[in-house]
Amino acid sequence: MSGLLEAHPGVARRTAQRWLANLVESGSVKAQGEGRARRYFGVISQSSDFISHADLDGFPTFIPLSADSLDILAYIDQPTEARNPVGYQLDFLDAYRPNVTWYLSAPLRRQLHKMGSTTDIGEPAGTYSRAILNRLLIDLSWASSHLEGNTYSRLDTRELIEQGKAASGKAAIETQMILNHKTAIELLVENINSAEFNRYTLMNLHSALAENLLPNPSDEGRIRLHPVDIGKSAYRPLSTPQQINEMLDMLLNKVNQIEDPFEQSFFTMVHLPYLQPFADINKRTSRLAANLPLFHANLCPLTFLDVPEQAYSRATLGVYEMTRVELLRDLYVWAYERSTQEYLAIKQNLAEPDPLRLEWRDFIKQAIREIITRPELDPLSCIQQKVAASIPEPQQEALQALVVEELRRLHEGVLARYGLRPSEYSTWKTIHIH
């Protein structure tokens, strides 16, 4: 209650109390705790998946919200003409002091670290994101595009990314958007050792996401030179390129000082779209950039799986029009927990690659291919000779055993891996397998 009144001193305490009491009585909101510790959360209605209170119409009740967030929703859900026109507030960014100001409280940061911790913590940067890359490309490309109104299904996205097959009946812009996400995610993961919060990374990330999607191609990967409007919003971003560049430099300076990866991630989601440094595709850029510190720290990614577009747009409007982060914070925490439930389960099912097999994978393939295509050779003698000629002595015995095991497991379903044809394998089997 105190936070709500501080944010809106024009609202009488009795009015705010009556408003919240009505929500609790109707069952739309659940109250927990007493006094200063009292918090308010949305609850599932018996007849609807949304909060039934008119002011909160359209925001899913399965996402827990604080009283501060309910307050933001009450304002944002007014008609656009009823909300106060507002421009970029320089003090919003200027007042933030890295590692002193916290958008995510210490308990929240501990909760996020506990949720997102993986067995790769302490390993070289990017170890975890590379291990789950194939799934990450599909989920993050699909979910982030979905927040922009893209109608590709998850299955459509998988077929496009894995097989290059565009979904029938979809607009070309939707296909392009998915493919651009794939390129941008790969750019981050493959260059994780050099990717930092700097202009080079942001510009190239934006360029990848914007390719073939902007009316003016010269806007791809470039700070905007003209004003922009935010649809269905009373917010007007900065319009002067000099000011945009100055605030971007300040933003990058501050984000690079933040020590906690989750605070870094959330700070990016707050301030990059708020500044609107690009002609378009600012939110998409921020969603991928918000994963950069998580990739670096080998934490679970934030994929935005199942995040409702209505919830995300309202939370972002809360930042734009009120410079308040509570609603976006509550959504961020819920969305991250949803992501981790998927990805920790995935990693548990991933077999750890054999480091020796990984190091000598090309040698193993060449050896198997030579053995099969030259059936006149004795397989064991051929393996021994090739290993002795090419492999360091300490690894020879183990690698010889690996090649023998690979040959023993050979079957029609893996022949393409070695560049072999079924007829070649059939001939070899006739001679060597009795």
Side-chain angles (χ1 to χ4, degrees):
M1 172 67 72
S2 60
L4 188 155
L5 293 173
E6 288 173 9
H8 289 273
V11 178
R13 173 177 287 274
R14 184 168 295 181
T15 300
Q17 288 174 331
R18 184 171 61 253
W19 174 60
L20 289 172
N22 288 339
L23 287 175
V24 172
E25 184 177 353
S26 69
S28 299
V29 170
K30 178 174 64 177
Q32 293 183 353
E34 299 295 334
R36 289 180 176 272
R38 193 169 181 84
R39 307 282 280 181
Y40 298 87
F41 301 92
V43 297
I44 304 272
S45 166
Q46 293 296 320
S47 59
S48 172
D49 287 337
F50 297 94
I51 293 177
S52 58
H53 190 274
D55 286 344
L56 307 181
D57 184 37
F59 199 97
T61 57
F62 51 75
I63 300 175
L65 298 179
S66 64
D68 290 328
S69 292
L70 294 175
D71 180 43
I72 294 170
L73 277 174
Y75 179 80
I76 292 300
D77 280 349
Q78 298 178 97
T80 307
E81 57 271 17
R83 308 197 302 265
N84 297 325
V86 60
Y88 185 90
Q89 304 298 303
L90 301 177
D91 289 346
F92 183 35
L93 178 60
D94 186 56
Y96 186 93
R97 297 290 178 262
N99 309 311
V100 176
T101 306
W102 296 101
Y103 289 152
L104 302 174
S105 66
L108 265 185
R109 297 196 304 275
R110 287 195 294 269
Q111 178 186 347
L112 290 165
H113 276 279
K114 185 176 180 180
M115 287 192 299
S117 180
T118 72
T119 56
D120 290 325
I121 298 291
E123 294 297 317
T127 299
Y128 183 78
S129 56
R130 282 190 290 269
I132 49 98
L133 179 59
N134 291 342
R135 179 68 177 272
L136 177 65
L137 288 173
I138 296 166
D139 288 348
L140 184 50
S141 296
W142 171 69
S144 180
S145 296
H146 184 70
L147 289 175
E148 301 299 323
N150 195 301
T151 62
Y152 260 70
S153 69
R154 203 169 177 179
L155 180 59
D156 290 337
T157 302
R158 178 176 180 176
E159 290 183 347
L160 177 61
I161 288 176
E162 292 185 346
Q163 303 172 28
K165 180 183 176 184
S168 60
K170 302 296 182 183
I173 191 173
E174 295 187 289
T175 302
Q176 184 76 58
M177 187 187 296
I178 297 284
L179 292 175
N180 286 1
H181 272 85
K182 174 180 181 290
T183 299
I185 297 164
E186 288 174 332
L187 184 151
L188 282 182
V189 174
E190 292 171 3
N191 297 282
I192 194 65
N193 291 324
S194 58
E196 300 174 352
F197 280 110
N198 54 32
R199 281 177 175 257
Y200 178 84
T201 298
L202 279 186
M203 303 304 181
N204 283 276
L205 190 58
H206 179 266
S207 176
L209 287 166
E211 183 182 0
N212 204 25
L213 291 180
L214 297 181
N216 183 358
S218 64
D219 284 333
E220 297 172 8
R222 189 180 72 177
I223 299 300
R224 63 182 167 87
L225 302 174
H226 51 80
V228 294
D229 289 326
I230 308 295
K232 300 180 181 178
S233 175
Y235 172 59
R236 299 294 178 265
L238 288 173
S239 58
T240 307
Q242 181 181 348
Q243 281 190 304
I244 297 171
N245 277 284
E246 288 173 358
M247 298 310 293
L248 180 60
D249 286 340
M250 182 186 294
L251 188 161
L252 291 171
N253 179 52
K254 288 179 183 286
V255 74
N256 277 302
Q257 294 180 56
I258 298 173
E259 295 173 357
D260 184 87
F262 288 106
E263 181 75 10
Q264 241 187 347
S265 172
F266 185 66
F267 178 93
T268 303
M269 279 191 62
V270 168
H271 282 284
L272 197 59
Y274 182 64
L275 178 58
Q276 292 280 307
F278 304 109
D280 196 2
I281 310 184
N282 291 281
K283 295 197 297 293
R284 270 168 267 179
T285 303
S286 75
R287 291 195 290 270
L288 265 61
N291 271 292
L292 180 56
L294 308 183
F295 291 168
H296 269 296
N298 289 315
L299 292 159
C300 276
L302 173 59
T303 60
F304 302 91
L305 283 172
D306 299 328
V307 173
E309 188 277 331
Q310 287 277 21
Y312 181 76
S313 62
R314 280 169 165 75
T316 305
L317 284 176
V319 176
Y320 288 171
E321 299 190 21
M322 305 173 76
T323 60
R324 291 183 57 182
V325 305
E326 296 93 337
L327 184 55
L328 186 61
R329 176 204 63 202
D330 289 350
L331 181 61
Y332 180 94
V333 173
W334 179 86
Y336 191 68
E337 182 175 19
R338 178 70 185 83
S339 292
T340 59
Q341 290 168 351
E342 290 272 338
Y343 279 81
L344 289 178
I346 292 169
K347 188 63 195 296
Q348 288 170 359
N349 295 328
L350 288 175
E352 196 65 31
D354 184 328
L356 192 64
R357 189 186 299 273
L358 183 63
E359 181 182 359
W360 295 102
R361 61 190 182 281
D362 290 337
F363 172 85
I364 294 171
K365 290 178 181 179
Q366 291 167 4
I368 296 295
R369 176 170 172 75
E370 182 173 341
I371 291 167
I372 301 300
T373 56
R374 298 184 63 187
E376 72 276 9
L377 298 177
D378 175 66
L380 188 56
S381 299
C382 183
I383 293 170
Q384 291 173 336
Q385 290 171 11
K386 289 185 70 65
V387 167
S390 305
I391 307 302
E393 188 173 348
Q395 295 179 308
Q396 286 182 3
E397 183 177 349
L399 197 63
Q400 182 173 312
L402 263 182
V403 179
V404 170
E405 178 65 15
E406 200 82 355
L407 184 63
R408 187 185 66 80
R409 294 189 307 199
L410 196 65
H411 61 87
E412 286 80 359
V414 298
L415 294 180
R417 179 188 302 174
Y418 306 101
L420 295 169
R421 296 190 300 271
S423 59
E424 292 173 324
Y425 180 52
S426 178
T427 299
W428 183 85
K429 279 201 306 181
T430 301
I431 298 172
H432 293 282
I433 299 180
H434 305 289

